[in-house]
Amino acid sequence: MSAWVLPDHIADVLPSEARHIEELRRQLLDTARGYGYELVMPPLLEHLESLLSGTGEALDLQTFKLVDQLSGRSMGLRADTTPQVARIDAHLLNRDGVARLCYCGPVLHTRPDRPHATREPLQFGAEIYGHAGLEADTETLLLALDCLQAAGLEEGVIVDLADARIVRALFADVSVDAAGLARVHAALAAKDASELDALTKDFPAASRDGLRALVGLYGDASVLDEAAKALKGTPAVAAALTDLKLLAAGLQGVPGRQISFDLADLRGYAYYSGMRFGIYAPGATDSLVRGGRYDEVGAVFGRNRPAVGFSLDVRELVGVLPARPLRAAIRAPWSDAAGLRQAIARLRKAGETVVCVLPGHGSEIDEFRCDRELVEQAGQWTVRAI
């Protein structure tokens, strides 16, 4: 095998795409800052017991593991940043009130989490700790939508809502091992009614009938009324449906967004405890944004307080956006002349990109679109259009 061949689902990022990713990273962080979110930078590497605390098997299987040569302890390369941010909120900040935190950095996956995905996403996320009300859920959704708008996605965006409490309530009286639970979850996600019938044939009637009903409970807002009839008699389900209606009402005034519901949606990591959502956009094969409420994520760190947030892969987001045009720049000759170097320094300090053409390379094309040039006129260096 050639030394330059990269592992499967790992790729270099070339100049135009890298520039787009970096510009978008800055836009997303600036959008979050506009809402009052503070930037944190958790480490890429942590002790395994801390990194995987309370996250469930799915994240464990996604995590690259290694042995620390200094301590001999098992360590992991993060596959998701939320548990780390929960640790920061619980132990380093330890605030009594609301904490709004955001981040953007690479995560590593042992396997791609969807077809054609990279195993090295650049994960951006924003999270609110310390508020249990729907106001925090609504703010999270609005910020996620504003982030997509800042990226250039303004039309055709679909917000798909669900609530983890619904499925949890239907399993309340069911005795089933982890493997059986995973098979039921997979059947629900695949909308496989026949497989679900086979897996739930020994469940209590209320749980069996409720899970079967979930298979068809997806679509527009009328789904919530159907669910209220099909799943009646369960207080946790009724509360979840009420919250979903209120959340949807809070998004009605956002233009260019369609709201849908999929009450059997169980994708994502196991720490979700309430409302959860995915946001879809034209050109994407799956949800670009995933998020929801995960009030229990901080419990393993000794601080079980309300939490809600979302994350997205900046590299995946760039993949569905139009390529950005080459950046305008100024072309300048290469010279040791003091006046020229001073003129170039002034332009660069003012924010301009000045590309000095090295001798013999005047006809080459680079990443920048030089639409102006620096020329000498009457002993002065001035910029003129090309």
Side-chain angles (χ1 to χ4, degrees):
M1 180 179 293
S2 300
W4 53 266
V5 176
L6 294 174
D8 290 343
H9 301 281
I10 298 291
D12 294 309
V13 181
L14 300 182
S16 291
E17 184 180 4
R19 174 172 54 84
H20 195 169
I21 288 172
E22 174 59 18
E23 290 174 355
L24 185 55
R25 183 190 69 85
R26 296 177 188 178
Q27 285 180 305
L28 294 173
L29 289 174
D30 285 346
T31 302
R33 184 173 61 184
Y35 276 69
Y37 287 71
E38 300 171 278
L39 178 64
V40 292
M41 296 180 178
L44 184 62
L45 185 70
E46 279 203 49
H47 292 128
L48 202 58
E49 59 267 28
S50 172
L51 200 61
L52 299 181
S53 293
T55 59
E57 183 182 15
L59 195 56
D60 185 16
L61 294 175
Q62 279 284 55
T63 302
F64 280 101
K65 303 174 179 69
L66 50 90
V67 175
D68 182 10
Q69 296 298 310
L70 293 180
S71 67
R73 296 175 63 181
S74 295
M75 303 187 76
L77 296 167
R78 67 174 179 227
D80 181 38
T81 312
T82 290
Q84 295 182 296
V85 179
R87 174 182 55 76
I88 289 172
D89 174 69
H91 286 292
L92 299 181
L93 295 179
N94 197 26
R95 295 173 179 169
D96 292 330
V98 170
R100 290 179 170 92
L101 304 175
C102 65
Y103 56 86
C104 190
V107 297
L108 294 170
H109 294 163
T110 55
R111 296 175 178 270
D113 67 353
R114 61 187 82 183
H116 312 298
T118 177
R119 290 195 289 166
E120 189 187 7
L122 180 61
Q123 189 180 58
F124 166 80
E127 309 183 4
I128 305 177
Y129 292 86
H131 186 75
L134 286 178
E135 297 85 358
D137 301 58
T138 301
E139 180 176 301
T140 296
L141 283 161
L142 291 173
L143 174 56
L145 290 170
D146 275 356
C147 284
L148 293 184
Q149 184 177 28
L153 290 174
E154 300 186 16
E155 298 296 332
V157 172
I158 299 173
V159 180
D160 196 56
L161 295 171
D163 197 301
R165 290 174 293 177
I166 295 174
V167 175
R168 284 190 180 189
L170 295 175
F171 274 106
D173 298 322
V174 176
S175 178
V176 60
D177 60 20
L181 186 63
R183 288 194 293 270
V184 173
H185 284 177
L188 282 170
K191 305 290 188 290
D192 189 339
S194 58
E195 175 70 5
L196 193 62
D197 284 343
L199 292 171
T200 61
K201 58 183 175 62
D202 296 325
F203 284 17
S207 296
R208 182 181 64 246
D209 294 344
L211 290 169
R212 288 174 178 172
L214 282 184
V215 174
L217 290 174
Y218 62 91
D220 60 21
S222 63
V223 164
L224 301 181
D225 294 328
E226 295 175 23
K229 296 176 183 177
L231 307 176
K232 59 184 178 182
T234 309
V237 171
L241 294 175
T242 298
D243 286 352
L244 288 175
K245 286 183 178 180
L246 292 172
L247 283 171
L251 298 179
Q252 290 297 337
V254 182
R257 275 64 174 166
Q258 179 182 340
I259 302 170
S260 64
F261 302 86
D262 185 352
L263 302 188
D265 182 15
L266 298 166
R267 287 172 296 176
Y269 299 123
Y271 48 65
Y272 286 112
S273 62
M275 179 276 299
R276 56 194 301 161
F277 65 90
I279 303 181
Y280 299 79
T285 58
D286 206 332
S287 55
L288 284 176
V289 181
R290 292 179 183 175
R293 180 164 284 280
Y294 31 83
D295 291 342
E296 299 165 12
V297 72
V300 294
F301 302 112
R303 196 158 191 239
N304 191 12
R305 70 183 195 137
V308 59
F310 71 90
S311 66
L312 60 87
D313 177 9
V314 181
R315 295 176 66 172
E316 183 183 27
L317 179 56
V318 165
V320 303
L321 296 172
R324 293 191 175 180
L326 296 180
R327 183 174 176 178
I330 299 169
R331 184 170 62 199
W334 179 266
S335 172
D336 292 329
L340 174 59
R341 291 195 170 182
Q342 291 170 1
I344 291 172
R346 286 194 299 270
L347 289 166
R348 287 173 175 164
K349 189 174 181 180
E352 295 281 3
T353 297
V354 182
V355 180
C356 290
V357 180
L358 298 176
H361 297 273
S363 61
E364 295 177 3
I365 298 174
D366 59 23
E367 164 68 12
F368 299 93
R369 179 178 62 85
C370 293
D371 58 353
R372 292 156 293 163
E373 62 181 348
L374 195 57
V375 297
E376 188 176 18
Q377 294 179 341
Q380 298 292 325
W381 290 96
T382 60
V383 177
R384 72 179 184 186
I386 296 177

